């Protein structure tokens, strides 16, 4: 599907979504949010898509935040509606996607950009990446889940400090804090991200989806994560995928989940 603010490509099961407003450091305006929602919908619906990479166009930014130029016209209700719509249409939908969606962070990941990266299942960053939640500079707080997901990923004290000071941190500090899993050179970022996804694609896709659901249950106050794990573990039994995985082990061969 053609987009105006995104570039997409599908190769060997990996769908790459590139936010493409490099002259505005890929800031998330209304169109980007709507198109990201449609692209994530494609990940859910298209059987050819096994997993996805989310990245930004150009050498400078993953996403430098929500588009600040759209803020001035909003009142309290408008601000709340913007956050609610974005969380619902994009951020929570990415987080709950049963197919892996991984962020390849190639530069600034600020405000909504850091929040977008955090909504993905995990993150790789290039050496030049910079992270921050600078909303207090604008008299705002994060609205796309940042107060929650940053706290989950780096802990309360560091999350408080980062959000109250608006300080930016580099990729290596982000790795030390657990915000990103790997730091790469700019040239190898996409390939290294895809290498990890290729390993995941050799595993049972149904089970991979249940890993995502079970881990997410830990952060969902309406669920008991242990009870959810028991249910999801049970759901895996009797699937063709589980029969193939177990048969392959017994027959001392690699499983074929295709
Ligand atoms: N919203 C809208 N436009 C943005 C933007 C955002 N979040 N971030 C960057 N841009 C635009 C700039 O206005 C500029 O546009 P222009 O060329 O038409 O003037 C263009 O992107 C390039 O940014 P610029 O500021 O010139 O680049 P820089 O290298 O000097 O600085 C940043 C980079 C990221 C430090 C700086 O752009 C910045 O602080 N951005 C805002 C970050 C932020 O507060 N994000 C949270 C929003 S809630």
């Amino acid at each position: 599907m053609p987009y105006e603010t995104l570039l997409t490509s599908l190769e060997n099961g990996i769908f790459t979504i590139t936010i493409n407003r490099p002259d505005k450091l890929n800031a998330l305006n209304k169109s980007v949010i709507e198109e990201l929602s449609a692209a994530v919908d494609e990940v859910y619906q298209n059987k050819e898509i096994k997993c996805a990479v989310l990245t930004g166009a150009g050498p400078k930014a993953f996403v430098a935040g929500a588009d600040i130029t759209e803020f001035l016209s909003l009142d309290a209700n408008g601000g709340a509606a913007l956050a609610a719509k974005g969380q619902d249409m994009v951020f929570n939908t990415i987080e709950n996607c049963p197919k892996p969606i991984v962020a390849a962070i190639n530069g600034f990941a600020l405000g909504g950009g850091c929040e977008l990266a955090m909504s993905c299942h995990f993150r790789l960053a290039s050496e030049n990446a910079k992270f921050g939640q600078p909303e207090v500079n604008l008299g705002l707080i994060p609205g796309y889940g940042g107060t929650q997901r940053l706290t989950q990923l780096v802990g309360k004290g560091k999350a408080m400090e980062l959000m109250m000071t608006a300080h930016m941190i580099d990729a290596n500090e982000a790795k030390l804090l657990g915000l990103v899993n790997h730091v790469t050179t700019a040239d190898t970022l996409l390939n290294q991200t895809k290498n990890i996804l290729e390993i995941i694609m050799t595993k049972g896709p149904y089970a991979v989806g249940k890993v995502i659901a079970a881990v997410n249950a830990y952060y969902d106050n309406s669920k008991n994560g242990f009870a959810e794990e028991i249910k999801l573990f049970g759901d895996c039994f009797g699937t063709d995928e589980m029969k193939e995985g177990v048969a392959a082990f017994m027959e001392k061969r690699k499983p074929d989940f295709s």
Side-chain angles (χ1 to χ4, degrees), residues 9-94:
S9 63
L10 175 59
E11 205 181 338
N12 301 328
I14 302 177
F15 191 52
T16 303
I17 304 171
T18 306
I19 300 167
N20 188 31
R21 293 182 78 208
D23 54 328
K24 298 292 176 192
L25 304 188
N26 304 319
L28 303 174
N29 65 7
K30 193 167 174 281
S31 305
V32 177
I33 291 289
E34 279 168 6
E35 293 199 334
L36 270 177
S37 170
V40 174
D41 217 43
E42 275 198 67
V43 179
Y44 273 72
Q45 304 301 336
N46 184 342
K47 289 192 167 47
E48 303 290 309
I49 297 175
K50 309 296 179 199
C51 54
V53 179
L54 191 53
T55 193
K60 209 167 155 183
F62 172 70
V63 169
D67 192 316
I68 299 168
T69 63
E70 293 183 344
F71 285 174
L72 263 187
S73 61
L74 299 175
D75 61 8
N77 287 336
L82 179 83
K85 194 173 165 199
Q87 288 195 22
D88 179 49
M89 285 171 61
V90 177
F91 295 74
N92 297 346
T93 312
I94 290 175

Side-chain angles (χ1 to χ4, degrees), residues 62 91 103 105 109 112-123 131:
F62 172 70
F91 295 74
I105 302 150
C114 189
E115 292 172 296
L116 187 64
M118 290 191 295
S119 72
C120 292
H121 297 128
F122 58 90
R123 288 145 290 283
F131 298 80

